[in-house]
Structures are given as C-alpha cells and as structure tokens.
C-alpha cells in the first residue's frame, strides 16, 4: 500500500532560524496523489496547514511553504524564519480521492522552537 | 459554530470489556471519519461514512471494531471485546464535500 515517510521524529530549532521538515511518499497507484500538511498545536485538534493537488506546484500558509516534487516524490515543508508559536506536531499526508478524509499519514514530526 | 465533539476524552477499560466512543460532527457535514493513532502505526483510517452510509470499513479492524452512524449528527465506534493493543487515541473528523476536514480532540483509550 501507500506510505508517507517523515524521517525526523523531532526537530529543535532556534527562533528566527530556517526550517525544513522532510516528507517523501511511496505509492502503489499510477499518477500523482494529493499532498497535505496537517498540524497539531499544543492543546488543539489536528488541522490542515496547506495542500497541493497538482504535481509541481507549491502551497503556502502561515509563512510555511511546500513544493510538490513529483520526480522525487517529496513534499518538504519549509519556513524561512520560525517562531516559538510554530512549536507543534506536523504531519504529512496523501490522498488519491476527492474525499478529503481518506488520508494516509506520516508518523509526524514534533517541532520545538526555542527563544 | 461547534467543531467536532468527541466523548469521553479519556476512557480506561479492562481487557474484554465493551467500550463505545462517541462523535458529533460539525453541523451540516455529511462525511465522517474515524481514525486511530498509535505510536507504532501512527494515524490509520478506520471507517468512513457519507450521508450516514458506511463507505469504507478498514479490513484490519473489522473483527472487533464497529462504527455506526445513527443519524447525521451522531456516530459511535464500538470495540468489543477490548484488548490491550487497542490502547490508542481515537480521532473523529468530518467534512462537507471537498471542503476542509475538521478533527475532534480525540478520545484516549487505555486498556488494562
């Protein structure tokens, strides 16, 4: 079946530094899935951060960006300058359908930003 | 507007017990999803309903797990009988069409 790999379980970054959280996927179907980043802030539920449904395009939200690289089957999350408020758990996910909840998730990356 | 409401927030069960987890989707949403989250497997889709009809029922979970949607505003996930390996966080989510997916806060289940 499909799988989504986030290589880092935890990332610790100093405030105002840049960030990359890695995500790659492996799919058994032919074609290009829809790709997502979800985030869970402390004390809150899981919520959509950004999505890209067209291979080769970039999505952005709250200062974060992710580019859908179809050749590398990657969807890394980046931010030029992180803040303490970005501390959260970030999940990469994919889907093949228009049903937004039929998702295959990565294991998540916990981001800790310190001042 | 109220978001997705899950009850209880925490549940402790003895092995072999029957437990029922509850979910109220966002009003007007017609798609509802149950997920399980464990440290080993991560987030896994258990069930998916559209307009109260069961559209997907994860094969690996059919044996002791049963999700139902009694009406458009209420769903349950029954685990019978529970086993220690069922200890996890169970998440409910809802959406309307292709719009944003909303997750509940989850129910943390501990099976002793």
């Amino acid at each position: 079946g499909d799988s989504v790999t986030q290589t880092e379980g935890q990332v610790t970054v100093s405030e105002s530094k840049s960030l990359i959280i890695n995500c790659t996927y492996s799919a058994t179907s032919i074609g290009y899935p829809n790709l997502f980043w979800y985030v869970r802030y402390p004390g809150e539920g899981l919520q959509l951060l950004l999505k890209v449904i067209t291979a080769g395009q970039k999505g952005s939200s709250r200062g974060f960006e992710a580019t859908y690289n179809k050749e590398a089957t990657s969807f890394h999350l980046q931010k030029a300058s992180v803040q303490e408020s970005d501390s959260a758990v970030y999940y990469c996910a994919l889907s093949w359908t228009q049903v937004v909840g039929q998702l295959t998730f990565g294991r998540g990356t916990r981001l800790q930003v310190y001042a | 507007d109220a978001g997705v409401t899950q009850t209880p927030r925490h549940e402790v069960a003895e092995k072999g017990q029957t437990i029922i987890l509850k979910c109220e989707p966002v009003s007007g949403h017609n798609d509802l999803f149950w997920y399980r989250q464990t440290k080993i497997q991560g987030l896994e889709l258990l069930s998916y309903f559209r307009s109260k009809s069961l559209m997907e029922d994860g094969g690996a979970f059919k044996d002791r797990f049963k999700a139902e949607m009694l009406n458009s505003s209420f769903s349950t996930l029954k685990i019978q009988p529970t086993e220690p390996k069922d200890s996890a966080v169970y998440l409910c989510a809802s959406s309307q069409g292709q719009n944003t997916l909303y997750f509940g806060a989850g129910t943390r289940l501990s099976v002793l």
Side-chain angles (χ1 to χ4, degrees), chain A residues 38 40 45-48 51 91 98-103 105-107, chain B residues 33 35 37 39-40 42-43 45 48 56 91 95 97-99 101 103:
Chain A
Y38 277 81
R40 177 157 52 208
L46 200 58
Q47 56 187 278
L48 178 67
K51 68 178 181 183
Y91 295 89
Q98 299 299 318
V99 178
V100 295
Q102 284 186 310
L103 296 163
F105 281 92
R107 298 288 298 278
Chain B
F33 307 87
Y35 280 87
Q37 183 173 27
K39 288 189 176 179
I40 296 175
L43 278 151
L45 181 63
Y48 155 45
E56 180 173 336
L91 295 173
S95 65
Q98 298 177 33
N99 294 324
L101 184 67
F103 281 87

Side-chain angles (χ1 to χ4, degrees), chain B residues 8-28:
Chain B
R9 291 296 308 277
H10 303 274
E11 179 79 66
V12 179
E14 297 283 338
K15 177 183 175 181
Q17 270 188 282
T18 296
I19 63 100
I20 297 176
L21 309 181
K22 306 177 184 69
C23 174
E24 296 175 42
V26 175
S27 178

Side-chain angles (χ1 to χ4, degrees), chain A residues 30-90:
Chain A
I30 296 173
Y32 303 107
N34 306 316
L35 297 177
F36 306 81
W37 279 100
Y38 277 81
V39 59
R40 177 157 52 208
Y41 296 103
E44 299 184 19
L46 200 58
Q47 56 187 278
L48 178 67
L49 177 60
L50 58 85
K51 68 178 181 183
V52 176
I53 62 172
T54 303
Q57 295 202 345
K58 179 190 294 186
S60 61
S61 175
R62 306 180 205 176
F64 287 90
E65 292 183 340
T67 300
Y68 190 154
N69 185 325
K70 59 184 178 179
E71 289 80 18
T73 62
S74 68
F75 192 52
H76 306 322
L77 184 67
Q78 303 182 65
K79 190 171 187 182
S81 176
V82 296
Q83 303 170 342
E84 274 194 275
S85 58
D86 294 325
S87 296
V89 183
Y90 293 81

